[in-house]
Amino acid sequence: MGRKLLLTHIDVPGIQSYSVYKAQGGYRSVDKALKSMSPDDVVEEVKKSGLRGRGGAGFPTGMKWSFLAKPEGVPRYLVCNADESEPGTFKDRYLMTHIPHALIEGMIVSSYALGAHTSFIYVRGEMMPQIRILEKAIAEAKAAGYLGKNILGSGYDLELYVQPGGGAYICGEETALLESLEGKRGNPRIKPPFPAIAGLYGCPTVVNNVESIAATVPIINDGGEEYAKIGIERSTGTKLISAGGNLAKPGVYEIELGLPVEEFIYSDEYCGGIANGKKLKAVVAGGSSVPILPANLITKTIKGDPRLMTYESLADGGFQSGTMMGSGGFIAFDEDQCIVRNTWNFTRFYRHESCGQCSPCREGTGWMEKVLYNIEHGRGTMNDIDLLWDIQRKIEGNTICPLGDAAAWPVAAAIRHFRDEFEWHINHGQEAQSRNYGLAHYADPLEVVTES
Amino acid sequence: MLNVKENLVVDFSPSLLEKFGEIVARYPEGRQKSALLPILHEVQAVYGWLSADMMDKVASYLSIKPIEVYEVATFYSMYFLQPQGKYTLEVCRTGPCCLVGAEKIMDHLEDKLGIKEGEITADGLFSWRGVECLAACGFGPVLQIGPEYTFYEKLTPDSVDALIANLRTEAQAKD
Ligand SMILES: Cc1cc2nc3c(=O)[nH]c(=O)nc-3n(C[C@H](O)[C@H](O)[C@H](O)COP(=O)(O)O)c2cc1C
Ligand code: SF4
Ligand code: FES
């Protein structure tokens, strides 16, 4: 059994409530930090832990905190990113639903470390039930003296608020999130300046993912060094993985980083293999933005080593034969699934969610969607594959925010690894048109090979 | 797109205005515009959609220009700029849910309710639309119903039928 740090008490009845959470050892990290540690001590422990941001980019959390500017007389803000909208990712919603106090506790410790006196949890607006849960948890924590003025007699004040979004994936991008929190459209800002210098209301701000914030609790309780003992290399600690698609047991799993991918997919402790006894065809390992890999490359690297659930191992082979950890949204495709249809679907998603500020992203996602629609519906030509390649290449790296890259990578990877399926759709237009949902038996998952 | 033909003129109730006040109090002096998204959700929860008049009144409440409200209301997908059915069923249509049958659920809804995406049933009770990933992919197919965004997971055509029947009964009981 892997160690659990975040979901340890998930099965305890009533763990949503303050009293049960507290009885299980909750809020110890706040007691410890406020009574016996300086804010800098807290930052130091998080640095030692090696914790990397769980929102997708994997930037070391302690380092991000140490960049926060601290000009005299200017407020600083901590904003928790609970926008969770990357297709395939559903761990933050799960954590907030089942153990809301883990996030509230983490917010208090982290706000103390950063010297923030007003902090926000920006939750996507569709998560109204979770917003209600968090508001209740905040009220309970406040009644117990963990929020408000002079917390635990330490002289430290903190107010914590939940802010609903309006339904827009782009607001997960940290500067778009800040714009949205200021009551505007979610248009990402040009960086620099980074939020650490000029964030919310132009003040120094840290934006962190729900899971990153929750992870500070065990780090402060047990010490950063203890946390860093779990995992491999620069992938320390545990990670929540959202496992979806055609798995026997989809759900949210807390794993120790370093777990072999094969074990994650097939062992009964985790996903229990592919649903309905089918074969695995492909995996998107880190949310819809990261490159899709065929079955043979997700369990083993191109060198033949077992692939592990770490930032480094998933990225082994670069984009030619590897992928990325991303947000931990692990989507499994069985042998019946159609890669072309899925690529079209993802591209439609990015076209819908593009904020429209940059022409390569706004126009490029629209073109890719139309071309993919044609191919999927049996009206494509061979030139279309090259056209798609060309469009995605012109988007990548040419936009204000990484949504452009996020839209380009899935298209590139699908063509790189499953070009034969695109060609099949083009050569069998009639059949492609008459097919029902994504029946793709023609593509034997075991015969899929990588090229270029 | 802003709905200029079908304006609904309203007076916000004292209890709604009180909620506005609680929201504005969260932000620093002069940053009351931060309350815009939460306030629009509160208004929509009462009236079911956002009319030009409602948006203008929100603008004047927050001392911002009407255009600042319109540009936000048109940017975000959750705000309805026309009237909807009493229950709007929002089905996730994104990749991972499609792997487990979301498209079949949408086809089923279309047949069962006899309306296309975005239309309203003749009795005014239902409308439906596809929305993007709702962060519940492991429990798909899923749908949600505002204003509280009640969530339904692992949908099958049968469970959708049962849900629609329940909502019909609920609506009759309230009448
Ligand atoms: C288009 C886009 C969407 C994103 N969505 C999210 C999200 O839903 N949640 C999240 O935590 N980070 C998201 N991110 C990453 C954030 O910009 C940011 O890196 C992250 O919140 C930082 O937190 P962390 O360091 O704790 O990971 C997104 C980035 C982009 C470009
Ligand atoms: S890359 Fe796309 S989403 Fe990002 S700022 Fe440009 S247009 Fe907007
Ligand atoms: S794809 Fe439907 S909830 Fe994520």
CSV table of all heavy atoms in Angstrom, one decimal, chain A residues 169-205:
chain,number,residue,atom,x,y,z
A,169,TYR,N,-12.5,27.9,-18.9
A,169,TYR,CA,-11.3,27.2,-18.7
A,169,TYR,C,-10.1,28.1,-18.6
A,169,TYR,O,-9.2,27.9,-17.7
A,169,TYR,CB,-11.1,26.2,-19.8
A,169,TYR,CG,-9.7,25.6,-20.0
A,169,TYR,CD1,-9.2,24.7,-19.0
A,169,TYR,CD2,-8.9,25.9,-21.1
A,169,TYR,CE1,-8.0,24.1,-19.2
A,169,TYR,CE2,-7.7,25.3,-21.3
A,169,TYR,CZ,-7.2,24.4,-20.3
A,169,TYR,OH,-6.0,23.8,-20.5
A,170,ILE,N,-10.1,29.2,-19.4
A,170,ILE,CA,-8.9,30.1,-19.4
A,170,ILE,C,-8.6,30.7,-18.0
A,170,ILE,O,-7.5,31.1,-17.7
A,170,ILE,CB,-9.0,31.2,-20.5
A,170,ILE,CG1,-7.7,31.9,-20.7
A,170,ILE,CG2,-10.2,32.1,-20.2
A,170,ILE,CD1,-6.5,31.0,-21.1
A,171,CYS,N,-9.7,30.8,-17.2
A,171,CYS,CA,-9.4,31.4,-15.9
A,171,CYS,C,-8.6,30.5,-14.9
A,171,CYS,O,-8.3,30.9,-13.8
A,171,CYS,CB,-10.8,31.8,-15.2
A,171,CYS,SG,-11.5,33.2,-16.1
A,172,GLY,N,-8.3,29.3,-15.4
A,172,GLY,CA,-7.3,28.5,-14.6
A,172,GLY,C,-5.9,29.0,-14.8
A,172,GLY,O,-5.0,28.8,-14.0
A,173,GLU,N,-5.6,29.7,-15.9
A,173,GLU,CA,-4.3,30.4,-16.2
A,173,GLU,C,-4.2,31.5,-15.1
A,173,GLU,O,-5.2,32.3,-15.0
A,173,GLU,CB,-4.2,30.9,-17.6
A,173,GLU,CG,-2.9,31.3,-18.0
A,173,GLU,CD,-2.4,32.6,-17.5
A,173,GLU,OE1,-3.2,33.5,-17.3
A,173,GLU,OE2,-1.1,32.8,-17.4
A,174,GLU,N,-3.1,31.6,-14.4
A,174,GLU,CA,-3.1,32.4,-13.2
A,174,GLU,C,-3.4,33.9,-13.4
A,174,GLU,O,-4.0,34.5,-12.6
A,174,GLU,CB,-1.8,32.2,-12.4
A,174,GLU,CG,-0.5,32.5,-13.2
A,174,GLU,CD,0.7,32.1,-12.3
A,174,GLU,OE1,0.6,31.5,-11.3
A,174,GLU,OE2,1.8,32.5,-12.8
A,175,THR,N,-2.9,34.4,-14.5
A,175,THR,CA,-3.2,35.9,-14.6
A,175,THR,C,-4.6,36.1,-15.1
A,175,THR,O,-5.2,37.2,-14.8
A,175,THR,CB,-2.2,36.6,-15.6
A,175,THR,OG1,-2.3,35.9,-16.9
A,175,THR,CG2,-0.7,36.4,-15.1
A,176,ALA,N,-5.2,35.2,-15.9
A,176,ALA,CA,-6.6,35.3,-16.3
A,176,ALA,C,-7.4,35.2,-15.0
A,176,ALA,O,-8.4,35.9,-14.9
A,176,ALA,CB,-7.0,34.2,-17.3
A,177,LEU,N,-7.0,34.3,-14.2
A,177,LEU,CA,-7.7,34.1,-12.9
A,177,LEU,C,-7.8,35.4,-12.1
A,177,LEU,O,-8.8,35.8,-11.6
A,177,LEU,CB,-7.1,33.0,-12.1
A,177,LEU,CG,-7.7,32.5,-10.8
A,177,LEU,CD1,-7.3,31.1,-10.5
A,177,LEU,CD2,-7.3,33.4,-9.6
A,178,LEU,N,-6.6,36.1,-12.0
A,178,LEU,CA,-6.6,37.4,-11.3
A,178,LEU,C,-7.5,38.4,-11.9
A,178,LEU,O,-8.2,39.2,-11.2
A,178,LEU,CB,-5.1,37.8,-11.2
A,178,LEU,CG,-4.2,36.9,-10.4
A,178,LEU,CD1,-2.8,37.4,-10.4
A,178,LEU,CD2,-4.7,36.8,-8.9
A,179,GLU,N,-7.5,38.5,-13.3
A,179,GLU,CA,-8.4,39.4,-14.0
A,179,GLU,C,-9.8,39.1,-13.6
A,179,GLU,O,-10.6,40.0,-13.3
A,179,GLU,CB,-8.2,39.2,-15.5
A,179,GLU,CG,-6.9,39.8,-16.1
A,179,GLU,CD,-6.9,41.3,-16.1
A,179,GLU,OE1,-7.8,41.9,-16.8
A,179,GLU,OE2,-6.1,42.0,-15.4
A,180,SER,N,-10.1,37.8,-13.6
A,180,SER,CA,-11.5,37.4,-13.3
A,180,SER,C,-11.9,37.8,-11.9
A,180,SER,O,-13.0,38.2,-11.6
A,180,SER,CB,-11.6,35.9,-13.5
A,180,SER,OG,-12.9,35.5,-13.3
A,181,LEU,N,-10.9,37.6,-11.0
A,181,LEU,CA,-11.2,37.9,-9.6
A,181,LEU,C,-11.3,39.4,-9.4
A,181,LEU,O,-12.0,39.9,-8.4
A,181,LEU,CB,-10.0,37.4,-8.7
A,181,LEU,CG,-10.0,37.5,-7.2
A,181,LEU,CD1,-11.3,37.2,-6.6
A,181,LEU,CD2,-8.9,36.6,-6.7
A,182,GLU,N,-10.8,40.2,-10.3
A,182,GLU,CA,-11.0,41.7,-10.3
A,182,GLU,C,-12.3,42.1,-11.0
A,182,GLU,O,-12.6,43.3,-11.1
A,182,GLU,CB,-9.8,42.4,-10.9
A,182,GLU,CG,-8.5,42.2,-10.1
A,182,GLU,CD,-7.3,43.0,-10.7
A,182,GLU,OE1,-7.5,43.7,-11.8
A,182,GLU,OE2,-6.2,42.8,-10.2
A,183,GLY,N,-13.1,41.1,-11.4
A,183,GLY,CA,-14.4,41.4,-12.0
A,183,GLY,C,-14.3,41.7,-13.5
A,183,GLY,O,-15.2,42.3,-14.0
A,184,LYS,N,-13.3,41.1,-14.2
A,184,LYS,CA,-13.2,41.4,-15.6
A,184,LYS,C,-13.3,40.1,-16.4
A,184,LYS,O,-13.4,39.0,-15.9
A,184,LYS,CB,-11.8,42.0,-15.9
A,184,LYS,CG,-11.6,43.3,-15.1
A,184,LYS,CD,-10.3,43.9,-15.4
A,184,LYS,CE,-9.7,44.7,-14.2
A,184,LYS,NZ,-8.3,44.7,-14.3
A,185,ARG,N,-13.2,40.2,-17.7
A,185,ARG,CA,-13.1,39.1,-18.6
A,185,ARG,C,-11.8,38.3,-18.3
A,185,ARG,O,-10.8,39.0,-17.9
A,185,ARG,CB,-13.0,39.5,-20.1
A,185,ARG,CG,-14.2,40.2,-20.6
A,185,ARG,CD,-14.0,40.9,-21.9
A,185,ARG,NE,-14.0,39.9,-23.0
A,185,ARG,CZ,-15.0,39.7,-23.8
A,185,ARG,NH1,-16.1,40.4,-23.7
A,185,ARG,NH2,-14.9,38.8,-24.8
A,186,GLY,N,-11.7,37.0,-18.5
A,186,GLY,CA,-10.5,36.3,-18.2
A,186,GLY,C,-9.5,36.3,-19.3
A,186,GLY,O,-9.2,35.3,-19.9
A,187,ASN,N,-9.0,37.5,-19.6
A,187,ASN,CA,-7.9,37.6,-20.6
A,187,ASN,C,-6.6,37.5,-19.9
A,187,ASN,O,-6.3,38.4,-19.0
A,187,ASN,CB,-8.0,38.9,-21.3
A,187,ASN,CG,-9.1,39.0,-22.3
A,187,ASN,OD1,-9.7,38.0,-22.7
A,187,ASN,ND2,-9.5,40.2,-22.7
A,188,PRO,N,-5.7,36.5,-20.2
A,188,PRO,CA,-4.4,36.5,-19.6
A,188,PRO,C,-3.6,37.7,-19.8
A,188,PRO,O,-3.7,38.4,-20.8
A,188,PRO,CB,-3.7,35.3,-20.3
A,188,PRO,CG,-4.9,34.4,-20.7
A,188,PRO,CD,-6.0,35.4,-21.1
A,189,ARG,N,-2.8,38.1,-18.8
A,189,ARG,CA,-1.9,39.3,-18.9
A,189,ARG,C,-0.6,38.9,-19.5
A,189,ARG,O,-0.2,37.7,-19.4
A,189,ARG,CB,-1.7,39.8,-17.5
A,189,ARG,CG,-2.9,40.2,-16.7
A,189,ARG,CD,-2.5,40.6,-15.3
A,189,ARG,NE,-3.7,41.0,-14.5
A,189,ARG,CZ,-3.7,41.2,-13.2
A,189,ARG,NH1,-2.6,41.0,-12.5
A,189,ARG,NH2,-4.8,41.5,-12.6
A,190,ILE,N,0.0,39.9,-20.1
A,190,ILE,CA,1.3,39.7,-20.7
A,190,ILE,C,2.3,39.7,-19.5
A,190,ILE,O,2.2,40.5,-18.6
A,190,ILE,CB,1.7,40.8,-21.7
A,190,ILE,CG1,0.8,40.7,-22.9
A,190,ILE,CG2,3.2,40.7,-22.1
A,190,ILE,CD1,0.9,41.8,-23.9
A,191,LYS,N,3.2,38.7,-19.4
A,191,LYS,CA,4.2,38.6,-18.4
A,191,LYS,C,5.6,38.9,-18.9
A,191,LYS,O,5.9,38.4,-20.0
A,191,LYS,CB,4.1,37.2,-17.7
A,191,LYS,CG,2.8,36.9,-17.1
A,191,LYS,CD,2.9,35.7,-16.2
A,191,LYS,CE,2.3,34.5,-16.8
A,191,LYS,NZ,2.2,33.3,-16.0
A,192,PRO,N,6.5,39.5,-18.2
A,192,PRO,CA,6.4,40.1,-16.9
A,192,PRO,C,5.5,41.3,-17.0
A,192,PRO,O,5.3,41.8,-18.1
A,192,PRO,CB,7.8,40.4,-16.5
A,192,PRO,CG,8.6,40.5,-17.8
A,192,PRO,CD,7.9,39.7,-18.8
A,193,PRO,N,5.1,41.9,-15.9
A,193,PRO,CA,5.4,41.5,-14.5
A,193,PRO,C,4.7,40.2,-14.1
A,193,PRO,O,3.5,40.0,-14.5
A,193,PRO,CB,4.9,42.6,-13.6
A,193,PRO,CG,3.8,43.2,-14.4
A,193,PRO,CD,4.2,43.0,-15.9
A,194,PHE,N,5.3,39.4,-13.3
A,194,PHE,CA,4.7,38.1,-12.8
A,194,PHE,C,3.9,38.5,-11.6
A,194,PHE,O,4.1,39.5,-10.9
A,194,PHE,CB,5.8,37.1,-12.4
A,194,PHE,CG,6.4,36.5,-13.7
A,194,PHE,CD1,7.6,37.1,-14.2
A,194,PHE,CD2,5.9,35.5,-14.3
A,194,PHE,CE1,8.1,36.6,-15.4
A,194,PHE,CE2,6.4,34.9,-15.5
A,194,PHE,CZ,7.6,35.5,-16.0
A,195,PRO,N,2.9,37.6,-11.2
A,195,PRO,CA,2.1,37.9,-10.1
A,195,PRO,C,2.8,38.1,-8.8
A,195,PRO,O,2.4,38.9,-7.9
A,195,PRO,CB,1.2,36.7,-10.0
A,195,PRO,CG,1.1,36.1,-11.4
A,195,PRO,CD,2.5,36.4,-12.0
A,196,ALA,N,4.0,37.5,-8.6
A,196,ALA,CA,4.8,37.7,-7.4
A,196,ALA,C,5.2,39.1,-7.2
A,196,ALA,O,5.5,39.6,-6.1
A,196,ALA,CB,6.0,36.8,-7.5
A,197,ILE,N,5.2,39.9,-8.3
A,197,ILE,CA,5.5,41.3,-8.2
A,197,ILE,C,4.3,42.2,-8.3
A,197,ILE,O,4.0,43.1,-7.4
A,197,ILE,CB,6.5,41.8,-9.4
A,197,ILE,CG1,7.7,40.8,-9.5
A,197,ILE,CG2,6.9,43.2,-9.2
A,197,ILE,CD1,8.6,40.8,-8.3
A,198,ALA,N,3.4,41.9,-9.3
A,198,ALA,CA,2.2,42.7,-9.5
A,198,ALA,C,1.1,41.7,-9.8
A,198,ALA,O,1.0,41.3,-11.0
A,198,ALA,CB,2.4,43.7,-10.6
A,199,GLY,N,0.3,41.3,-8.9
A,199,GLY,CA,-0.8,40.3,-9.1
A,199,GLY,C,-2.1,40.9,-8.9
A,199,GLY,O,-2.5,41.8,-9.6
A,200,LEU,N,-2.8,40.4,-7.9
A,200,LEU,CA,-4.2,40.9,-7.6
A,200,LEU,C,-4.1,42.4,-7.2
A,200,LEU,O,-3.4,42.7,-6.3
A,200,LEU,CB,-4.8,40.0,-6.5
A,200,LEU,CG,-6.2,40.4,-6.1
A,200,LEU,CD1,-7.2,40.1,-7.3
A,200,LEU,CD2,-6.7,39.5,-4.9
A,201,TYR,N,-4.9,43.2,-7.8
A,201,TYR,CA,-5.0,44.7,-7.6
A,201,TYR,C,-3.6,45.3,-7.7
A,201,TYR,O,-3.2,46.2,-7.0
A,201,TYR,CB,-5.6,45.0,-6.2
A,201,TYR,CG,-6.9,44.3,-5.9
A,201,TYR,CD1,-7.0,43.6,-4.7
A,201,TYR,CD2,-7.9,44.3,-6.8
A,201,TYR,CE1,-8.2,43.0,-4.4
A,201,TYR,CE2,-9.1,43.6,-6.5
A,201,TYR,CZ,-9.3,43.0,-5.3
A,201,TYR,OH,-10.5,42.3,-5.1
A,202,GLY,N,-2.7,44.7,-8.5
A,202,GLY,CA,-1.4,45.2,-8.7
A,202,GLY,C,-0.4,44.9,-7.5
A,202,GLY,O,0.7,45.4,-7.5
A,203,CYS,N,-0.9,44.1,-6.5
A,203,CYS,CA,-0.1,43.8,-5.3
A,203,CYS,C,0.6,42.4,-5.5
A,203,CYS,O,0.1,41.6,-6.3
A,203,CYS,CB,-0.9,43.7,-4.1
A,203,CYS,SG,-1.8,45.3,-3.8
A,204,PRO,N,1.7,42.2,-4.8
A,204,PRO,CA,2.4,40.9,-4.9
A,204,PRO,C,1.4,39.8,-4.5
A,204,PRO,O,0.7,39.8,-3.5
A,204,PRO,CB,3.5,41.0,-3.8
A,204,PRO,CG,3.7,42.5,-3.7
A,204,PRO,CD,2.4,43.1,-3.9
A,205,THR,N,1.4,38.7,-5.3
A,205,THR,CA,0.4,37.7,-5.2
A,205,THR,C,1.0,36.3,-5.5
A,205,THR,O,1.8,36.2,-6.5
A,205,THR,CB,-0.8,37.9,-6.1
A,205,THR,OG1,-1.3,39.2,-5.9
A,205,THR,CG2,-1.9,36.8,-6.0
